[in-house]
Amino acid sequence: MAFTNTRGRYASFGIVTSLPGNVIDSFWYIIDNYLKTVIPLKKIIRFTLKNNKGNIQVTFSQEAYQNSIAVDLNIPYDPFYPRTVLVIDKNGKETITLPDELSLI
């Protein structure tokens, strides 16, 4: 099962230049506190960012998982934030990236 043997956590250039640190940290928080040990996670998981009354709503999904989980953050939404973010686990090296950067990792 992915995301159980963390050896390092990273953010791609596209993520670092398009999202503030507190939003990036929120992905790790959601994984650690809402997903790990609750859902068998695949090696690639997807988060969608949406505007929920002016704040960010992060929705988790993954392939072959029929449910989704939405978490409301107390962080203002910016329409220039990426709509989709992927988190990849490569043998314990976990990376947050944009979908179009996937081939670079």
Side-chain angles (χ1 to χ4, degrees), residues 35-92:
L35 301 177
K36 273 186 179 181
T37 70
V38 176
I39 298 168
L41 297 173
K42 304 231 180 221
K43 291 185 180 207
I44 299 176
I45 59 177
R46 175 183 308 269
F47 290 101
T48 305
L49 281 69
K50 297 178 185 174
N51 184 355
N52 183 22
K53 300 177 185 172
N55 286 331
I56 298 172
Q57 182 180 71
V58 177
T59 303
F60 156 82
S61 63
Q62 69 180 353
E63 184 180 327
Y65 187 71
Q66 295 179 359
N67 299 314
S68 62
I69 297 171
V71 178
D72 294 325
L73 304 179
N74 193 20
I75 300 172
Y77 178 81
D78 186 326
F80 293 105
Y81 289 164
R83 179 152 166 73
T84 302
V85 171
L86 302 176
V87 185
I88 300 158
D89 182 356
K90 283 182 141 181
N91 300 318

Side-chain angles (χ1 to χ4, degrees), residues 2-22:
F3 297 95
T4 57
N5 186 26
T6 302
R7 292 189 293 152
R9 286 190 162 165
Y10 310 94
S12 70
F13 179 79
I15 290 294
V16 171
T17 58
S18 63
L19 290 173
N22 61 339

